[in-house]
Amino acid sequence: MKQFQYICPTTQQGVLDVINKPGTKIIAGGTNLVDLMKRGVTAPDKLVDINHLPLKSIISTPKGLYIGALALNSAVAEHELVARQYPLLAMALKAGASPQLRNMATVGGNMMQRTRCGYFYDTTMPCNKRAPGSGCGAYEGVNRMHAIFGGSSQCIAVHPSDMCVALAALNAVVIIAGKKGERRLPFTDFHRLPGEHPEMDNHLAANELIVGVEIPNNHFAANSYYLKVRDRQSYAFALVSVAAALDIENGIIRHARLAMGGVAHKPWRLFDAEQALAGKPVSEDSFKQAAQLAMQGAKGYGQNAFKLKLAPATIAEALKHAAGLA
Amino acid sequence: MKSNETVNGPDGDQDVKDTSRRNFLKQSSLLTAVALTPGTAVKAAVMHVDEKIAAVFEKMPLKMEVNGKPQKLSVEPRSTLLDILREQLDLTGTKKGCDHGQCGACTVHVDGRRVNSCLTLGIMMSGKKITTIEGLANSDQLHPMQEAFIKHDGFQCGYCTPGQIMSAVACIREGHAGSEHEIREYMSGNICRCGAYPNIVNAIQEVKDGGQTV
Ligand SMILES: Cc1cc2nc3c(=O)[nH]c(=O)nc-3n(C[C@H](O)[C@H](O)[C@H](O)COP(=O)(O)OP(=O)(O)OC[C@H]3O[C@@H](n4cnc5c(N)ncnc54)[C@H](O)[C@@H]3O)c2cc1C
Ligand code: FES
Ligand code: FES
């Protein structure tokens, strides 16, 4: 690992004053950043440790739940308020990484972990995300883990987070601090698709800091499910995952929320399927139809073509679990 | 229109900034000369460029407590907790398997929480209490989990074992050892090439059921 300078500001202003400088990176839990630094994928000159900022709180507000950017993934997953009111988030977090890693990983770091694939990690291979203009090794290469939605000829990597899939489904809002004050961004607009600029994973500017996320109150607690399909039962990234949340009254779906992981450069919301489910009776048929609708525009690239079948099956299954039919 | 298609309008990026690394290095070699002059250094600190001067010193002081003993060390910011434990403190019980957070061999407790020491920068441990496998036994008396691993043959080659045991103790303390299924899930961050899993689960269940304080 290349040498770097380490600083540890104790105020938000202190962090904002330095993060804009070239070669500077924030470190929170370090589980993604240190890994990438060890592999030489990224080599900052300066690390800004933000762990001394007071951003760990998990509190209920009149509008919903506020979670500080430095709250640990394990702390959020185990939190009583989360378990009771936002079980979808708890399930997604518990499906991610390992207990040790969740004890280090923070909410902000989880959002900011790189959208990535094996070619991004392998510095001897082409990768437009790591080295813009060098080509995409995965497009016609080893792409079993890769995107079936929203990819471009430049990049078909997927965002690996489980937590973010749940937060996208729950219409969370990201709270961002910058030099000019705070701004709020809908979670679904935080991450971006690769397009012509796969080197950019999201819309956070270099001089900005994530301070927290807010999840609005909802009626999904009784009927939520996170289903993650992977090569082994635990401690593996998703092939496909689905966050399903239903608001059911007298056997009729009032509102549905669906998001998928492992299929796109960002957490992938299934807006059309959600709309189609509204007003439908709770039934396997409704779920299968919604799952088919969700697959419009999906595209396989060879090795990952199996996801075209796995994804709708996983959507239908997650909905069954959420509705209590499984 | 609600959609996922927000390709446009990139506002910023993390890695683009890395391109001007060379500029920084140029700057910091200039600063070496400055830093060697104490008087200038003091003045520079007052002028808020102190952090740049710190960059040219390779090592930084680190105080932490390891297995109950306070340690005063001098470390490179890039040294992981794992490397500091093994190479500076000669605590070689903690193992390096993958060095990338994928195997759990390096599991230690930081302020009571189990973490992967291979992805933990030592410099970030200032003021923390670290417990390694060497700190688990009570002088000559093995920890109940160590006893149970021996009794149940919870290992073959033994390489993953320190990490398994640190994780197993945390698993019970966290309240995640309620059933075989739960133990398997909450021990999934520790890989064993020798496949000693069934015996590891048995060892944990015995300690859990024995009700001893772990
Ligand atoms: C072996 C392994 C398996 C994993 N498996 C899974 C999995 O199954 N599911 C899953 O979801 N994840 C998985 N992960 C990823 C893990 O969840 C992330 O690495 C973790 O969430 C990152 O959080 P962190 O706090 O450690 O981030 P760091 O590594 O500290 O930072 C990551 C990035 O975020 C930036 N950053 C951090 N905080 C902020 C902030 N507040 N504002 C602005 N920028 C910030 C940093 O600059 C850096 O670029 C796995 C990781 C490993 C190593
Ligand atoms: S050595 Fe740390 S997880 Fe493998
Ligand atoms: S005992 Fe050999 S790796 Fe676990």
Side-chain angles (χ1 to χ4, degrees):
Chain A
M1 202 192 300
K2 198 185 71 100
Q3 285 279 27
F4 55 84
Q5 182 197 356
Y6 169 84
I7 60 165
C8 187
T10 50
T11 64
Q12 195 163 303
Q13 196 53 49
V15 171
L16 291 174
D17 283 345
V18 291
I19 51 174
N20 199 20
K21 310 232 171 74
T24 302
K25 263 196 195 297
I26 284 171
I27 184 163
T31 58
N32 187 222
L33 187 57
V34 174
D35 188 24
L36 293 172
M37 286 166 66
K38 281 186 175 185
R39 295 181 196 261
V41 175
T42 185
D45 297 311
K46 184 194 288 191
L47 282 195
V48 184
D49 180 355
I50 60 169
N51 285 289
H52 292 251
L53 304 186
L55 298 175
K56 285 202 169 87
S57 57
I58 304 170
I59 40 173
S60 104
T61 71
K63 280 188 266 166
L65 187 74
Y66 172 87
I67 306 174
L70 287 172
L72 295 177
N73 284 190
S74 55
V76 180
E78 300 285 332
H79 200 280
E80 183 259 335
L81 276 174
V82 178
R84 191 153 35 91
Q85 290 167 13
Y86 308 93
L88 185 64
L89 177 58
M91 289 174 90
L93 278 164
K94 288 177 188 178
S98 70
Q100 290 96 314
L101 288 162
R102 297 197 293 270
N103 271 343
M104 306 167 71
T106 64
V107 167
N110 193 315
M111 292 170 58
M112 291 294 291
Q113 65 173 304
R114 296 304 311 261
T115 295
R116 57 196 189 267
C117 81
Y119 291 95
F120 178 72
Y121 269 109
D122 188 340
T123 51
T124 63
M125 287 285 181
C127 169
N128 288 321
K129 185 177 279 300
R130 174 173 32 78
S134 64
C136 172
Y139 197 76
E140 290 182 335
V142 178
N143 55 27
R144 183 169 171 272
M145 298 298 289
H146 290 67
I148 53 172
F149 290 110
S152 75
S153 58
Q154 302 286 311
C155 178
I156 52 171
V158 299
H159 193 262
S161 171
D162 292 294
M163 178 195 83
C164 292
V165 179
L167 288 176
L170 294 172
N171 271 356
V173 175
V174 188
I175 303 157
I176 296 168
K179 275 267 158 84
K180 291 187 201 124
E182 273 188 11
R183 69 178 176 117
R184 299 163 62 88
L185 198 59
F187 201 90
T188 41
D189 294 340
F190 182 81
H191 295 96
R192 58 185 296 285
L193 291 177
E196 295 299 308
H197 286 282
E199 71 279 12
M200 284 175 280
D201 295 344
N202 56 57
H203 293 288
L204 193 79
N207 58 359
E208 291 182 315
L209 169 77
I210 300 171
V211 291
V213 291
E214 256 172 37
I215 312 175
N217 289 316
N218 64 52
H219 295 102
F220 299 125
N223 293 102
S224 300
Y225 201 77
Y226 188 75
L227 182 58
K228 181 176 181 184
V229 182
R230 41 192 155 169
D231 284 332
R232 60 181 182 210
Q233 224 175 352
S234 186
Y235 200 16
F237 289 109
L239 294 166
V240 169
S241 69
V242 174
L246 297 170
D247 176 358
I248 301 171
E249 199 177 61
N250 301 325
I252 304 292
I253 299 164
R254 296 207 311 173
H255 299 284
R257 296 274 182 73
L258 284 167
M260 257 199 277
V263 297
H265 198 262
K266 60 185 284 188
W268 191 252
R269 267 288 284 272
L270 311 179
F271 293 112
D272 292 342
E274 291 174 9
Q275 246 173 21
L277 282 169
K280 293 269 161 58
V282 170
S283 76
E284 265 193 64
D285 271 354
S286 314
F287 298 158
K288 282 196 180 139
Q289 281 167 21
Q292 282 314 320
L293 198 62
M295 295 308 292
Q296 280 176 8
K299 179 175 182 227
Y301 293 88
Q303 294 178 356
N304 70 347
F306 73 97
K307 290 190 182 182
L308 299 174
K309 278 192 184 167
L310 180 63
T314 311
I315 297 169
E317 191 65 19
L319 282 165
K320 266 166 65 181
H321 279 276
L325 298 185
Chain B
M1 237 291 279
K2 279 183 184 172
S3 90
N4 287 298
E5 316 283 332
T6 49
V7 190
N8 59 310
D11 299 315
D13 166 54
Q14 314 87 352
D15 275 339
V16 170
K17 294 185 289 188
D18 287 359
T19 47
S20 45
R21 216 176 89 201
R22 212 168 294 134
N23 286 344
F24 178 85
L25 288 178
K26 259 189 224 154
Q27 227 180 342
S28 43
S29 44
L30 262 181
L31 280 161
T32 315
V34 181
L36 293 174
T37 324
T40 328
V42 172
K43 221 182 274 166
V46 175
M47 290 162 66
H48 303 289
V49 292
D50 48 340
E51 53 170 62
K52 284 191 182 159
I53 289 190
V56 302
F57 297 117
E58 289 199 339
K59 293 203 170 183
M60 291 178 80
L62 167 66
K63 278 194 211 171
M64 59 182 182
E65 192 183 299
V66 181
N67 298 332
K69 256 201 252 155
Q71 296 286 352
K72 259 174 116 171
L73 302 162
S74 173
V75 303
E76 286 186 359
R78 65 178 170 179
S79 299
T80 59
L81 175 59
L82 174 62
D83 287 343
I84 293 169
L85 290 170
R86 290 181 55 86
E87 283 160 33
Q88 283 185 251
L89 294 171
D90 285 333
L91 293 169
T92 51
T94 307
K95 298 294 183 246
K96 184 183 282 194
C98 64
D99 212 17
H100 287 279
Q102 297 175 355
C103 75
C106 65
T107 303
V108 301
H109 298 176
V110 173
D111 288 345
R113 273 185 287 113
R114 51 172 156 163
V115 302
N116 305 85
S117 60
C118 69
L119 291 184
T120 303
L121 293 178
I123 193 70
M124 290 168 72
M125 294 294 101
S126 164
K128 306 263 187 217
K129 290 186 165 69
I130 319 293
T131 308
T132 70
I133 188 74
E134 290 91 343
L136 217 50
N138 188 358
S139 62
D140 281 350
Q141 174 105 43
L142 288 182
H143 183 277
M145 192 62 77
Q146 291 173 312
E147 298 271 18
F149 264 64
I150 294 168
K151 179 171 163 198
H152 288 275
D153 258 342
F155 48 86
Q156 285 183 44
C157 78
Y159 198 79
C160 72
T161 313
Q164 298 280 2
I165 291 178
M166 295 312 287
S167 209
V169 169
C171 183
I172 293 183
R173 287 183 185 161
E174 292 163 4
H176 287 139
S179 64
E180 181 186 337
H181 174 78
E182 194 183 21
I183 293 172
R184 284 183 175 273
E185 175 58 36
Y186 280 86
M187 288 298 290
S188 70
N190 294 81
I191 308 287
C192 174
R193 289 174 308 178
C194 301
Y197 300 113
N199 299 358
I200 293 172
V201 173
N202 290 344
I204 298 174
Q205 270 184 321
E206 178 174 288
V207 176
K208 167 76 184 1
D209 296 343
Q212 294 141 290
T213 348
V214 290

